[in-house]
Amino acid sequence: MFDGLHDIDWASMEHAYGSAEEVPALLTALRSPDAEERRKALDRFYSAVHHQGSVYPPTAASLPFLFELANGSATPDRAAVVALMVSIGRESLDRGFEDDGTEIEYYPPTGCAQAVAFLRERGAQFAELARDPDPDVRLAAIAGLGLFLDDADQAITTLRGWLAAEKGIAARLRIVEAAATLALRLPTASQQVRDWLADLAADPVQGPATRLGALVQRARCAPDEIGEGVVPAAVGLLRETVRAIAMRPIASGPSRPAAPTDGVAPQIVAAFEDLDRHTRVYAPTTALLRTFHEALGARVAERTTVLAEQLSSPDPGSRLDAVRMSGELMRTWRGDHTRLLMLVADQLATADQEVAAEAATVLASCHPIAAPAREALAAHIDTHRAAHGPHVWAAPQAPLRRTHQEAVRALARLGDRRALPSLLAALDSDIDAWRAIQVAGHLPQAADQLVPRLCDHLRRIDLSQQSTEMSANAILSALTALGDPAAVPEVVDTLGAAMGHEQHRVTKSALKALRAFGSAAAGAKGTIRSLTTATDAHVRPAAVAALWAVGSDLAEVMPLLLDLLDDRITFRISDAADLLGEIGPPAAAALPRLRDLLTHDYEWVRVHCAAALWEIGGETEAAAVLDALLQAMAKNPATSNHVVACLDSMGPLAAPALPLLREQLAQPRRGGRFQSIEHDEELQRVGRILIARLDPSRPEAPAPRTV
């Protein structure tokens, strides 16, 4: 086995973390009799050689040896090896080729083309693997037929035979998925596969799961042909499928070894725990239903109908997966999500803590639109406190603790004071206090109770330890949002400690907080001034902004800002432009340089400078400002939030922006910066106000269609 393995110059190739010289050892370990050695080798291969789906030259060069392992009867875990090959091939097709089949050229080059060519040469071997005596190997190999076999007739014949022979739901769903993949990849197979899937979906002899799978995969093949009867049919088949599948309790244990916690920030540990949770799938129909939602796309009302059925399932795992899908829908697509929000909020009352916790997490992530769930969250928290006492935030039962904490955080993000008692309990007990700190800034009405506690936590942070950076930044962020000058002395002390330990990010956060306190932080002016010449890229502009906020000394600040406008680092230019816009007409000395920067090759610089130009120069600069804004927004919609904020201040002069504004609001997907729900909701709000103001003779732009 492995002839020629050491003839390859692995050291000359690189994977995600550098030299690929370890690959021969990893491949050899995959046939080890020691299960733990095999697990570690497979994990390392996925994390380095196939990192997040990437296909490097050594990934492709490994395929001949992976095939040897898959076909070797003495190889343990053959199914895992087959699944790895399929993953490499699928990712190579997705990442390495355009829709028309032309190769995408990357630098440095990837191994996608090499991997696809190798696997297609061996497409027929996946048919052999799919007849393997080991059911796990068969299951792993099924997808390979749709991805790699170029003989459409052979592939369809084999798939039909497999479906007739296989009885397991998972295998049957994989088979119809492979058929749809084949139809999408090979136009010559398309109509035959689509007809077969339509026949399967209508065949009462088939089980409901198979019929549902065929219906969904038929929709995947031709999303534009999804008719009015498809969703009701899918809902009916889903209902039958749920009745046919045995319910299983949700396993709360981790699916991978826990990350080490010594010296690691609690936020990092929690992020790995969240990642583990979100990689688990609890229901056998979940992958299929995800495919259905992808095919339905912008049909928000129909997708909500499907999710309503999923959320009413008697199976807790199905409901948990549906809660996550609901969050993905609301965060990705525009529309009226009130019904879905309430359906998710109903899950707070379930007896299964994992489902309730996920519901609260989704409501928190959707907080800009989650107001309809406010009372359900408050009632859920009150029930916990009544049943388990005022310290339920620190409950010893992990599921209960997580459920309560997530609900409190969701309510706090809505700015609801009823979250305060649990937040105060967290800050006083110092148990999972970092979770409370992350949302404390949403309750400025309770600053008198929160600020002293936050300052106490800030005082106890040891900035000599790098692992404390995230905690310090989170507290400073909360204090900035609360805006209470009572925090100034503690923030000044933290600034000094951060400078002493060269914690530049904490230094920046402290400066941002002092800027928010304005003249109340004037006593720190000397320290702030000393940082206006800092070498750290982020500290210097933050110091200049804080210096203006605490002293408003134009003569001192203007030279510093003009110097930043000449910087090569783009975010420094943007930060300086923002502050110049805040200063307004007294900053007229910057006008010539700002005009020049409207030709900068980076649209983000142009947007920030255009906004500053308007705030300083007003109507005389309107034509150039408007041209820069609209060009940037058309080129990069992520700039939309900044653009509409400036347009909002331009009044009637922004009228030429109407067509682009209407175009933006007509998009069904969320837009704005990062395409986040928060930025998109603000973009829609301001955009509609602008349209109504600029063209009152025409009705406001309609909300995007949801059906």
Side-chain angles (χ1 to χ4, degrees):
M1 184 174 276
F2 289 173
D3 286 344
L5 178 63
H6 297 288
D7 294 337
I8 296 173
D9 187 3
W10 297 99
S12 69
M13 295 185 279
E14 291 191 349
H15 56 43
Y17 300 112
S19 172
E21 60 186 345
E22 67 178 313
V23 171
L26 295 177
L27 292 168
T28 302
L30 289 176
R31 61 180 182 183
S32 169
D34 184 340
E36 181 63 12
E37 184 179 354
R38 296 195 305 274
R39 184 194 65 77
K40 289 181 178 178
L42 190 63
D43 283 351
R44 177 62 181 175
F45 200 102
Y46 271 107
S47 67
V49 191
H50 190 33
H51 177 71
Q52 296 181 352
S54 296
V55 179
Y56 308 96
T59 320
S62 300
L63 284 169
F65 308 105
L66 291 173
F67 249 104
E68 284 193 54
L69 287 167
N71 289 308
S73 58
T75 302
D77 301 335
R78 292 171 56 233
V81 175
V82 175
L84 174 58
M85 292 193 298
V86 169
S87 177
I88 293 170
R90 179 184 287 112
E91 294 293 342
S92 295
L93 287 165
D94 288 346
R95 296 166 182 250
F97 296 87
E98 302 284 4
D99 291 340
D100 62 3
T102 57
E103 185 179 349
I104 299 173
E105 294 186 7
Y106 290 99
Y107 185 82
T110 70
C112 292
Q114 180 185 349
V116 170
F118 178 87
L119 291 167
R120 281 183 171 167
E121 287 175 2
R122 289 154 183 79
Q125 293 185 34
F126 281 94
E128 295 300 321
L129 288 168
R131 286 191 284 269
D132 196 90
D134 185 336
D136 292 331
V137 171
R138 294 201 304 272
L139 191 64
I142 289 170
L145 206 66
L147 290 165
F148 312 125
L149 186 57
D150 288 334
D151 185 329
D153 290 336
Q154 180 187 358
I156 293 171
T157 300
T158 305
L159 288 169
R160 285 178 175 273
W162 281 349
L163 190 70
E166 286 286 357
K167 303 302 180 186
I169 289 176
R172 293 174 71 81
L173 292 180
R174 293 265 186 106
I175 291 167
V176 294
E177 178 186 7
T181 300
L182 182 74
L184 290 168
R185 185 171 64 86
L186 300 179
T188 55
S190 178
Q191 193 59 55
Q192 187 177 353
V193 168
R194 287 156 67 177
D195 291 345
W196 178 45
L197 292 174
D199 290 343
L200 283 174
D203 185 357
V205 175
Q206 304 293 332
T210 302
R211 294 179 63 195
L212 177 63
L215 182 75
V216 168
Q217 297 300 339
R218 174 66 177 79
R220 176 189 166 209
C221 288
D224 293 342
E225 298 178 11
I226 297 175
E228 293 182 359
V230 172
V231 167
V235 168
L237 289 170
L238 177 59
R239 197 169 294 160
E240 291 182 45
T241 300
V242 169
R243 287 198 294 264
I245 297 175
M247 289 189 296
R248 296 175 296 176
I250 294 174
S252 58
S255 58
R256 63 167 67 103
T261 58
D262 294 341
V264 179
Q267 297 92 329
I268 298 295
V269 175
F272 276 99
E273 291 173 350
D274 287 342
L275 178 63
D276 179 73
R277 273 191 289 269
H278 284 277
T279 55
R280 298 182 214 163
V281 173
Y282 296 96
T285 55
T286 293
L288 178 66
L289 291 169
R290 283 190 180 280
T291 298
F292 194 36
H293 284 290
E294 289 170 6
L296 289 170
R299 302 172 188 232
V300 172
E302 290 173 278
R303 292 179 65 177
T304 300
T305 297
V306 177
L307 285 165
E309 184 63 30
Q310 294 176 246
L311 289 166
S312 67
S313 171
D315 175 44
S318 297
R319 296 201 310 277
L320 193 153
D321 290 341
V323 166
R324 288 180 183 156
M325 289 187 222
S326 300
E328 291 162 8
L329 172 63
M330 292 186 285
R331 291 189 298 268
T332 305
W333 297 93
R334 294 170 173 173
D336 183 355
H337 294 298
T338 304
R339 179 189 178 200
L340 191 53
L341 284 165
M342 298 310 296
L343 288 169
V344 171
D346 288 344
Q347 300 301 316
L348 295 169
T350 182
D352 194 290
Q353 299 284 6
E354 292 286 340
V355 178
E358 201 62 39
T361 301
V362 164
L363 293 173
S365 72
C366 297
H367 69 92
I369 61 170
R374 181 191 301 270
E375 295 307 317
L377 285 165
H380 184 63
I381 292 166
D382 286 346
T383 299
H384 277 175
R385 292 175 66 84
H388 304 284
H391 301 292
V392 63
W393 175 278
Q397 305 95 330
L400 172 62
R401 180 193 298 196
R402 177 171 174 256
T403 303
H404 182 76
Q405 290 181 2
E406 294 296 347
V408 169
R409 284 156 55 89
L411 191 62
R413 284 184 177 274
L414 293 173
D416 196 305
R417 193 182 179 93
R418 287 174 287 185
L420 184 62
S422 288
L423 295 183
L424 297 180
L427 294 171
D428 290 340
S429 69
D430 204 17
I431 295 175
D432 293 338
W434 67 272
R435 293 183 180 272
I437 290 166
Q438 286 183 334
V439 299
H442 291 272
L443 294 171
Q445 68 271 41
D448 59 328
Q449 297 182 69
L450 289 167
V451 168
R453 291 171 167 88
L454 291 170
C455 287
D456 181 58
H457 279 268
L458 188 59
R459 190 179 304 116
R460 289 186 274 126
I461 286 181
D462 180 5
L463 287 176
S464 68
Q465 304 297 314
Q466 289 294 322
S467 62
T468 61
E469 176 191 299
M470 294 181 71
S471 296
N473 285 338
I475 298 172
L476 289 165
S477 178
L479 291 172
T480 301
L482 295 173
D484 188 344
V488 168
E490 200 57 52
V491 173
V492 171
D493 288 346
T494 300
L495 176 62
M499 293 166 59
H501 293 294
E502 297 185 348
Q503 290 261 31
H504 300 306
R505 291 185 178 86
V506 178
T507 300
K508 177 191 173 184
S509 296
L511 288 168
K512 186 176 180 181
L514 294 175
R515 178 185 181 184
F517 300 139
S519 59
K525 190 173 182 180
T527 303
I528 294 171
R529 181 182 292 114
S530 71
L531 291 168
T532 59
T533 57
T535 56
D536 181 78
H538 295 274
V539 168
R540 185 179 166 197
V544 175
L547 185 63
W548 168 255
V550 303
S552 300
D553 187 336
L554 188 64
E556 181 176 28
V557 169
M558 277 302 295
L560 299 171
L561 289 172
L562 292 173
D563 190 40
L564 286 171
L565 286 182
D566 289 330
D567 206 295
R568 290 179 299 176
I569 301 175
T570 55
F571 68 77
R572 281 185 167 185
I573 301 172
S574 298
D575 287 349
D578 288 346
L579 184 53
L580 288 164
E582 181 182 324
I583 294 170
L591 286 173
R593 180 60 180 143
L594 289 169
R595 293 187 191 109
D596 290 342
L597 286 166
L598 293 188
T599 62
H600 196 281
D601 58 2
Y602 188 37
E603 65 272 6
W604 278 104
V605 169
R606 299 198 300 273
V607 165
H608 286 270
C609 290
L613 201 58
W614 166 258
E615 295 298 336
I616 299 168
E619 290 189 17
T620 59
E621 307 291 341
V625 167
L626 193 60
D627 184 58
L629 293 176
L630 298 187
Q631 285 191 36
M633 187 171 171
K635 178 180 180 180
N636 183 358
T639 64
S640 298
N641 289 96
H642 288 76
V643 170
V644 299
C646 185
L647 293 174
D648 190 32
S649 69
M650 293 181 71
L653 294 173
L658 273 169
L660 190 55
L661 287 170
R662 289 197 174 97
E663 179 184 325
Q664 284 288 320
L665 292 188
Q667 299 299 319
R669 292 185 74 96
R670 294 203 178 275
R673 195 164 190 194
F674 307 125
Q675 295 182 304
S676 72
I677 187 171
E678 190 165 10
H679 286 121
D680 181 67
E681 287 295 315
E682 179 66 7
L683 174 63
Q684 291 187 72
R685 185 187 69 79
V686 178
R688 291 199 172 93
I689 290 173
L690 275 169
I691 291 172
R693 182 193 303 155
L694 295 173
D695 191 3
S697 65
R698 296 180 62 180
E700 180 184 343
R705 291 189 64 196
T706 59
V707 295

